[in-house]
Amino acid sequence: MKHLPKHLRPRWRYLAVGIETWPTASLDRRAFQRAVWYAAQNLLGDTGSAETDMTVLQFHDYDGTAEAIVRTRRGQTDPARAALACVDSIDDDEVRVRVRGISGTVRACEEKYIRGPPEPTEQRHVVFENADRGATVRPPRYDVETASDGAFVGATALDFR
């Protein structure tokens, strides 16, 4: 089978995406891809999500954060960004998704926007709401464990002074 000439091939744009969640959440590529497709279909409908053709090319999971490269068709970057903004949970774990930038090639996207592993996290004991609690520190954020249900409360260093 012959390849299409260059002027007939589909043109792509690559979105660098940063994902942030609680420290105990585990994220994977398939779950993120499923959440992206679901958000695109809910926001844009069947034809709109088919036109954007969003695919997760790379996914790197770190402790409480992740980075991904999402491919979409040229001219469909605005609907793709809107669909990514609608992703609020992955496998029942709340997430924050942020598009760091858009590039024309995967290599340029990696070099400009994918930062690699963040600085290591550490566990500390902090006094929060007049009780000694465990916290996961990812500067400048503190994720403080609540005593009863194992959930987290987001805080900064200013909340402890």
Side-chain angles (χ1 to χ4, degrees):
M1 188 166 162
K2 295 179 94 174
H3 294 287
L4 286 174
K6 188 172 184 174
H7 67 281
L8 294 177
R9 292 183 199 153
R11 306 290 173 110
W12 302 103
R13 292 295 174 256
Y14 302 92
L15 284 69
V17 178
I19 305 162
E20 187 175 342
T21 186
W22 300 115
T24 57
S26 82
L27 304 173
D28 66 338
R29 182 184 179 280
R30 288 182 183 211
F32 181 61
Q33 178 71 69
R34 191 171 35 252
V36 167
W37 282 339
Y38 184 73
Q41 189 174 20
N42 282 343
L43 180 68
L44 307 170
D46 290 337
T47 57
S49 65
E51 285 175 3
T52 58
D53 196 16
M54 298 172 67
T55 304
V56 178
L57 292 182
Q58 292 183 10
F59 188 86
H60 305 285
D61 183 24
Y62 307 112
D63 189 24
T65 61
E67 297 175 325
I69 295 179
V70 178
R71 181 183 78 178
T72 188
R73 291 191 187 274
R74 186 178 71 175
Q76 297 293 320
T77 54
D78 289 338
R81 289 176 69 116
L84 286 169
C86 292
V87 175
D88 61 351
S89 66
I90 299 172
D91 285 344
D92 297 328
D93 293 320
E94 295 178 352
V95 296
R96 172 184 164 255
V97 177
R98 179 175 174 263
V99 177
R100 292 181 181 164
I102 300 173
S103 182
T105 63
V106 175
R107 182 175 178 180
C109 190
E110 288 173 342
E111 290 175 357
K112 288 181 186 176
Y113 305 113
I114 301 298
R115 299 183 183 114
E119 63 265 357
T121 61
E122 62 180 283
Q123 299 291 328
R124 287 191 192 167
H125 288 282
V126 296
V127 176
F128 189 77
E129 294 179 345
N130 298 325
D132 187 34
R133 300 176 189 223
T136 302
V137 180
R138 296 180 285 171
R141 298 173 302 279
Y142 290 72
D143 295 325
V144 182
E145 294 180 47
T146 58
S148 60
D149 56 359
F152 289 91
V153 174
T156 64
L158 298 175
D159 294 323
F160 299 107
R161 293 186 185 180

